[in-house]
Amino acid sequence: MFYPEAVAVIGASSNPQKWGFGILHNLIQGGYKGRIFPINPSQKEILGIKCYPSVSSVPYKIDLAVIVVPPEKVFNCVIECGEKGVGSLVIITAGFAESGERYRKYQEDIAQEIKKYGMLAIGPNCQGIMCTQSNLFAQFVWLFPAPGKISIISQSGNVGASLIGRGIFYGIGFGKFISSGNEAVVKSSDLLEYLAEDQDTSVIMAYIEGVGEGEKFFKALSKTTPKKPVIILKGGTTDAGNKACASHTGVMAGQESIFSSACRQAGAILVDNLDDLFYASVTLAHQPLPKGDRVGILTWGGGWGVIAADSCVRQGLKVPPLPEDVIEKISHFLSYRWSHNNPVDLAASGGRDALSKALEVMIKSDAFDGIIQLGIGVSSFMRYIADSSFFFNSPDRAKLRKIMIEYAIKQDEEMSRKIIELSFENSKPVLCASDTASTPSPDNVAWQILKEKGMLIYPTPTHASKAFAWLVRYSEFLKKRANS
Amino acid sequence: MFYPEAVAVIGASSNPQKWGFGILHNLIQGGYKGRIFPINPSQKEILGIKCYPSVSSVPYKIDLAVIVVPPEKVFNCVIECGEKGVGSLVIITAGFAESGERYRKYQEDIAQEIKKYGMLAIGPNCQGIMCTQSNLFAQFVWLFPAPGKISIISQSGNVGASLIGRGIFYGIGFGKFISSGNEAVVKSSDLLEYLAEDQDTSVIMAYIEGVGEGEKFFKALSKTTPKKPVIILKGGTTDAGNKACASHTGVMAGQESIFSSACRQAGAILVDNLDDLFYASVTLAHQPLPKGDRVGILTWGGGWGVIAADSCVRQGLKVPPLPEDVIEKISHFLSYRWSHNNPVDLAASGGRDALSKALEVMIKSDAFDGIIQLGIGVSSFMRYIADSSFFFNSPDRAKLRKIMIEYAIKQDEEMSRKIIELSFENSKPVLCASDTASTPSPDNVAWQILKEKGMLIYPTPTHASKAFAWLVRYSEFLKKRANS
């Protein structure tokens, strides 16, 4: 399914407003290298590719067929694919179990035919699938992320798309994406089992509304979590949400308390909103696991340090006092006004490399299992100042302006590289938060360097503390497993 | 203090790396209309303004003096200001109570002198003050927000700066900002009392580490909350955070449980992170208060609707079923596949104005006290598609490309204007969330129109539900007060 040699788009359209156009377009745009067969009886050619009137008229083997015809035509279309010997289907078409009992029955009939022919099928009522390793973008949403270690299972296409969109915005890549829709044939549990073994996937993020056969799902989950982290956002945890699921993917969301305790028992990380789903997955995919829960906090500004300390403790982390030797070492290069305490608050003293020097002392100390670093990234703000200030904009200060911006860029570069280097050398996570650097931009040097390693700049200290806590939770889960 | 006719900067510097430069620069850059007196014995002129060797040598009355000399010089400087008859001081200089017992004593001595002369004083150890109504930017952080209804009290300069930076990013203005620092003379309670009466302030956001005289603070708070919402982020709610406060602003953060219950009793809205502080304040400043807690949810995509419903319920809000007449009216213009349920999920049917038509039906229904609308803003995404797609980039499709972008822009414009119009007409909040439109950009038409009214586009359904809950909580507080 993810590495097909030939793909048919049944219901391909030449009208750019139709999904049948979008899917064909995205297959081409994504750079898929295999054969593509648009199927449409009334067209000779779409987007420069020869069209066939039906699947059966294609004189080649078809590995994957994407179906995007009206719902009443799906049944015959499936039979035709079965007869042709197609390996896998992705049924985009909606109007099945989510539209009421009559349509649920129809969906079941189709599922039976698919199984009879021994085909795999994703959907119906889904957005498609994506595999960045094979340049396969068999989906109607126009999003083309770079390859990466995170794969997504989403029972909602728009939730999946919004996660991928975020990834693109922050420069985070993905591996596979499956918009599983109503899950008439292939279930989330099957997808989990597959992704557990997938070499290209190191973290699985999932949006789940309902799991049908619960036992199978939790069994698959328990087998996956010792190999790689699984982060789950459950939709339909309340009565109103549950009703919304019924008309969305036609599943019963089930009882929240049972689902969440089973998930936790199976070692999954449960979150309750999209931000957490994104941040937890990206963090677990790109940061080393800490050996314990002791956080060293390093900050340019006092208030952010206080907020970080509070929120670490609230997340169940420890913020231990500074050992004597750390205090002594840091005092060598900072003014007396630094905090002498964890958080290490530089109180804006110490020059360009004060942050990296303090970071090095802290990360090398046995007192800490990882660092939260607040206030990286000054160059984009410096450029903003230089561009808006009457002083720096005056022509006779062009040289000073240039020096200041270059100084800031150099500071960002050195600090970002040092963070990567120290984190890898010491196998400890360094989570950065900053308000000036959390939004990507061409001027944002720190973001540009850190994103190459998939390292985020979190927008607030609270985000960074939560992220640290997810790392600790997964690390503790693995330790417990190893000891049991 | 906020409307001075003349300001002195004591310790003004010609070195762009010094705070004494930044403050003078920012006063000028901000467009302050009164007289400015840089004070520095070794300079004749800084930034084109005549310098005086001392406050006493200035041949004019001084209303406000910003002090940015080294800590050991602050005492004499204060006396000189007192003798000169200066009205108010802002003491930027750090190195007082936050640096240990010896310096705390020094701070107390200075405070006593200030009171003896009957002056007001902000700080020490602060970032300055700002008043957009008088173009006064007596602060060392280079941020110049537009005028707006929200005023900020922050015991941390960097927390204040990060809130203002966010406001600028999203196009949200501010009224007054007071970085209150160690609060040696003017306390948060005094500032609350002042802002409670300030005509230009309709919402107060506060970052508080400690309140010293608790009774005075909660009394001021109780007097303020019936007039305008006060949103508080408390720093130092944990042991580690508390210790960090001591070395940050030299205050004792006090016991969390007492502070929070007293705040709630006084009618303040307590939050525990920067995101919530920002979103709660901006929402309360710019949205009408709902009469009850019943939310209508309107969405382009099913998954986002499910997440919104779950998170509304978790926030204590109601997501009531759709009344018959609403179902009937909406069915007139949507395909049978729409959800027939709250959330109203359009299932991507109904054409360009389907969202606004559904919004109108819902907001006019007595069943709902306000609306959460998901999925506004397609034009920036459409431009991204058009710019990156091989299809739309081909020269012979320039016209089609133009039509598609213009269609998307028109859709965003119409929808955004309709949201503003319907919200005002019906006095009900409409909170929008979108992943494609929550980040400001020149292409983002929805953001550009909504920000004129201070209306945010929240990044996720969870943010919108939380925001709705804050509106409900404040509305209920006012009702309770009116009935008691």
Side-chain angles (χ1 to χ4, degrees):
Chain A
M1 180 177 288
F2 293 111
Y3 302 89
E5 281 173 28
V7 179
V9 179
I10 309 177
S13 165
S14 57
N15 176 353
Q17 305 223 0
K18 297 260 187 180
W19 291 351
F21 175 87
I23 288 166
L24 185 62
H25 171 278
N26 293 345
L27 268 175
I28 303 168
Q29 174 87 25
Y32 173 63
K33 297 285 185 285
R35 282 173 188 277
I36 301 174
F37 306 111
I39 312 290
N40 182 327
S42 58
Q43 302 276 332
K44 285 215 165 127
E45 192 187 285
I46 304 177
L47 287 172
I49 305 181
K50 181 179 160 46
C51 229
Y52 291 85
S54 63
V55 164
S56 48
S57 63
V58 175
Y60 299 93
K61 190 173 163 287
I62 295 171
D63 301 302
L64 174 67
V66 185
I67 298 176
V68 60
V69 298
E72 61 278 10
K73 293 189 179 165
V74 170
F75 189 87
N76 287 340
C77 187
V78 161
I79 304 242
E80 214 186 325
C81 287
E83 293 296 328
K84 168 78 184 169
V86 171
S88 305
L89 308 176
V90 171
I91 308 174
I92 305 290
T93 311
F96 293 91
E98 81 280 11
S99 302
E101 213 32 60
R102 183 152 65 100
Y103 305 98
R104 174 185 299 276
K105 180 75 187 56
Y106 180 48
Q107 176 178 310
E108 280 162 13
D109 293 344
I110 290 171
Q112 215 162 11
E113 291 301 320
I114 293 170
K115 287 177 195 160
K116 214 173 73 187
Y117 283 105
M119 294 187 285
L120 289 177
I122 300 294
N125 185 24
C126 79
Q127 192 159 280
I129 62 170
M130 173 186 105
C131 172
T132 56
Q133 290 92 16
S134 59
N135 292 322
L136 179 76
F137 293 85
Q139 62 193 33
F140 67 79
V141 162
W142 302 48
L143 290 171
F144 305 90
K149 306 179 190 176
I150 303 168
S151 288
I152 306 176
I153 303 169
S154 179
Q155 290 182 351
S156 157
N158 90 309
V159 167
S162 90
L163 294 168
I164 295 170
R166 243 187 227 233
I168 294 175
F169 185 69
Y170 289 104
I172 302 295
F174 293 96
K176 296 177 175 69
F177 162 55
I178 307 102
S179 167
S180 65
N182 293 6
E183 301 193 353
V185 178
V186 171
K187 316 281 186 197
S188 296
S189 49
D190 303 314
L191 294 166
L192 265 182
E193 266 177 29
Y194 173 80
L195 292 175
E197 302 303 324
D198 179 31
Q199 297 290 333
D200 295 323
T201 295
S202 62
V203 162
I204 300 166
M205 78 204 290
Y207 171 74
I208 301 287
E209 292 188 353
V211 292
E213 305 147 31
E215 208 180 321
K216 206 177 145 210
F217 179 80
F218 291 111
K219 216 167 151 183
L221 192 58
S222 304
K223 272 197 206 155
T224 310
T225 51
K227 291 175 192 147
K228 46 195 85 172
V230 182
I231 302 96
I232 300 178
L233 170 59
K234 175 70 171 58
T237 54
T238 64
D239 196 42
N242 208 332
K243 277 185 198 139
C245 289
S247 57
H248 175 222
T249 48
V251 301
M252 287 311 296
Q255 213 184 311
E256 151 66 357
S257 54
I258 297 174
F259 184 89
S260 61
S261 64
C263 270
R264 286 207 186 88
Q265 217 172 343
I269 292 173
L270 260 189
V271 296
D272 69 2
N273 65 74
L274 287 165
D275 276 4
D276 287 0
L277 182 58
F278 181 77
Y279 288 118
S281 306
V282 178
T283 305
L284 280 155
H286 302 104
Q287 290 282 349
L289 289 180
K291 295 198 178 57
D293 58 0
R294 300 162 308 154
V295 187
I297 301 169
L298 173 60
T299 182
W300 259 125
W304 272 49
V306 170
I307 293 173
D310 278 342
S311 106
C312 280
V313 174
R314 257 185 246 131
Q315 293 294 327
L317 304 170
K318 294 201 181 69
V319 184
L322 292 185
E324 275 308 317
D325 68 307
V326 169
I327 294 184
E328 200 179 301
K329 282 175 195 154
I330 293 181
S331 295
H332 277 306
F333 55 86
L334 288 187
S335 100
Y336 78 98
R337 294 203 300 102
W338 81 277
S339 64
H340 294 70
N341 190 7
N342 185 16
V344 171
D345 176 1
L346 306 189
S349 71
R352 193 172 81 194
D353 58 356
L355 262 183
S356 17
K357 276 153 81 181
L359 177 64
E360 184 155 4
V361 173
M362 289 175 81
I363 203 169
K364 287 189 170 160
S365 165
D366 287 339
F368 305 116
D369 301 305
I371 306 292
I372 288 179
Q373 192 278 317
L374 308 173
I376 193 182
V378 291
S379 57
S380 50
F381 185 59
M382 193 55 79
R383 198 181 292 266
Y384 163 82
I385 286 179
D387 287 347
S388 58
S389 149
F390 73 91
F391 178 75
F392 289 107
N393 262 325
S394 127
D396 54 322
R397 292 194 191 96
K399 207 179 149 192
L400 177 63
R401 187 174 181 278
K402 199 164 160 259
I403 290 171
M404 284 195 67
I405 291 176
E406 278 169 4
Y407 181 93
I409 290 176
K410 195 144 185 86
Q411 182 172 17
D412 281 356
E413 278 175 357
E414 286 175 1
M415 184 66 191
S416 311
R417 298 235 160 80
K418 198 82 190 170
I419 284 169
I420 292 171
E421 187 192 308
L422 288 171
S423 171
F424 279 70
E425 261 176 24
N426 297 279
S427 290
K428 292 181 181 179
V430 178
L431 306 188
C432 302
S434 161
D435 47 357
T436 53
S438 63
T439 306
S441 83
D443 296 341
N444 188 341
V445 178
W447 164 70
Q448 270 159 356
I449 294 173
L450 292 172
K451 85 174 156 95
E452 292 305 317
K453 303 288 171 190
M455 291 163 79
L456 291 169
I457 299 174
Y458 304 87
T460 73
T462 308
H463 287 84
S465 334
K466 274 182 150 184
F468 204 102
W470 286 311
L471 290 171
V472 170
R473 239 172 281 163
Y474 187 64
S475 167
E476 279 171 359
F477 165 74
L478 289 186
K479 269 193 264 175
K480 228 188 264 173
R481 288 273 314 186
N483 293 336
S484 70
Chain B
M1 181 178 289
F2 294 110
Y3 301 90
E5 280 172 30
V7 179
V9 180
I10 308 177
S13 165
S14 56
N15 177 352
Q17 306 223 2
K18 298 263 186 174
W19 291 352
F21 175 87
I23 288 166
L24 185 62
H25 171 278
N26 294 346
L27 269 174
I28 303 168
Q29 174 87 23
Y32 173 64
K33 297 287 186 283
R35 283 173 188 276
I36 301 174
F37 305 111
I39 311 290
N40 183 326
S42 58
Q43 302 277 332
K44 286 218 164 121
E45 191 186 284
I46 304 177
L47 288 171
I49 304 182
K50 181 179 160 46
C51 229
Y52 290 86
S54 64
V55 164
S56 50
S57 62
V58 175
Y60 298 92
K61 192 173 160 287
I62 296 171
D63 301 303
L64 174 68
V66 186
I67 297 175
V68 60
V69 297
E72 62 277 11
K73 292 191 179 164
V74 171
F75 189 88
N76 287 341
C77 186
V78 161
I79 304 238
E80 214 186 325
C81 287
E83 293 295 327
K84 168 78 183 170
V86 171
S88 305
L89 308 176
V90 171
I91 307 173
I92 305 289
T93 311
F96 292 90
E98 82 280 10
S99 303
E101 211 32 57
R102 184 154 63 103
Y103 305 97
R104 174 186 300 276
K105 178 75 187 57
Y106 180 48
Q107 176 179 310
E108 280 163 13
D109 293 345
I110 290 171
Q112 213 162 12
E113 292 301 319
I114 293 169
K115 287 177 194 159
K116 214 173 74 188
Y117 284 105
M119 294 186 284
L120 289 177
I122 300 294
N125 186 24
C126 79
Q127 192 159 279
I129 63 169
M130 175 185 104
C131 172
T132 56
Q133 290 92 14
S134 59
N135 291 323
L136 178 76
F137 293 86
Q139 63 192 33
F140 69 78
V141 162
W142 302 48
L143 290 171
F144 305 90
K149 305 179 191 178
I150 303 169
S151 288
I152 304 176
I153 303 169
S154 180
Q155 290 181 351
S156 157
N158 91 309
V159 167
S162 91
L163 294 168
I164 294 171
R166 245 187 224 231
I168 293 174
F169 185 69
Y170 289 105
I172 301 295
F174 293 95
K176 297 177 175 68
F177 162 55
I178 307 102
S179 168
S180 65
N182 294 5
E183 301 194 352
V185 177
V186 171
K187 316 281 185 197
S188 295
S189 48
D190 302 315
L191 294 166
L192 265 182
E193 267 178 29
Y194 173 80
L195 292 175
E197 302 302 326
D198 179 33
Q199 298 290 332
D200 295 322
T201 296
S202 63
V203 163
I204 300 166
M205 79 205 287
Y207 171 74
I208 300 287
E209 294 189 353
V211 292
E213 305 147 32
E215 207 181 323
K216 207 176 145 211
F217 178 80
F218 292 111
K219 215 166 153 184
L221 193 56
S222 304
K223 273 196 206 157
T224 310
T225 51
K227 291 176 192 148
K228 49 194 83 171
V230 181
I231 301 97
I232 300 177
L233 170 58
K234 176 68 170 62
T237 56
T238 65
D239 197 40
N242 207 330
K243 276 184 197 138
C245 289
S247 57
H248 176 222
T249 47
V251 299
M252 287 311 296
Q255 211 184 314
E256 152 66 356
S257 55
I258 297 174
F259 184 88
S260 61
S261 65
C263 269
R264 285 206 188 88
Q265 218 172 341
I269 291 173
L270 260 188
V271 296
D272 69 3
N273 64 74
L274 287 165
D275 277 3
D276 287 0
L277 182 57
F278 180 77
Y279 288 118
S281 305
V282 178
T283 305
L284 281 155
H286 302 104
Q287 291 282 351
L289 289 180
K291 295 198 178 58
D293 58 1
R294 301 162 309 154
V295 187
I297 301 169
L298 173 60
T299 181
W300 260 125
W304 272 49
V306 170
I307 294 173
D310 279 341
S311 105
C312 280
V313 174
R314 256 185 247 130
Q315 292 295 326
L317 303 171
K318 295 200 182 70
V319 184
L322 292 185
E324 275 310 318
D325 67 307
V326 169
I327 294 183
E328 201 180 300
K329 282 175 197 156
I330 293 180
S331 295
H332 277 307
F333 55 87
L334 289 186
S335 101
Y336 78 98
R337 294 201 300 102
W338 80 277
S339 64
H340 294 72
N341 190 6
N342 184 18
V344 170
D345 176 0
L346 305 189
S349 71
R352 192 173 83 195
D353 58 356
L355 261 182
S356 15
K357 275 152 82 181
L359 177 64
E360 182 155 5
V361 173
M362 290 176 79
I363 204 169
K364 286 188 172 162
S365 165
D366 286 339
F368 305 115
D369 301 305
I371 306 293
I372 288 179
Q373 192 278 317
L374 308 173
I376 192 181
V378 291
S379 58
S380 49
F381 185 59
M382 192 56 80
R383 197 181 293 266
Y384 163 82
I385 286 179
D387 287 347
S388 58
S389 151
F390 74 91
F391 177 75
F392 288 108
N393 262 325
S394 127
D396 55 322
R397 292 196 192 94
K399 206 179 150 193
L400 177 62
R401 185 174 182 280
K402 198 165 161 260
I403 290 170
M404 285 196 63
I405 291 176
E406 278 170 4
Y407 181 93
I409 290 176
K410 195 144 185 86
Q411 182 173 15
D412 281 357
E413 279 176 357
E414 286 174 2
M415 184 65 192
S416 311
R417 297 238 160 79
K418 197 83 189 166
I419 284 169
I420 292 170
E421 186 191 309
L422 287 171
S423 170
F424 280 70
E425 260 175 24
N426 297 278
S427 291
K428 291 181 182 179
V430 178
L431 307 188
C432 301
S434 161
D435 47 356
T436 53
S438 63
T439 306
S441 83
D443 297 340
N444 189 339
V445 177
W447 164 69
Q448 270 159 357
I449 293 173
L450 292 173
K451 84 172 155 100
E452 294 304 319
K453 303 288 172 189
M455 290 163 81
L456 290 169
I457 299 174
Y458 303 87
T460 73
T462 308
H463 287 85
S465 333
K466 272 183 153 184
F468 203 104
W470 286 311
L471 291 172
V472 169
R473 235 170 286 162
Y474 187 63
S475 167
E476 278 171 0
F477 165 74
L478 288 187
K479 268 193 264 176
K480 226 188 264 173
R481 289 272 315 186
N483 293 336
S484 70

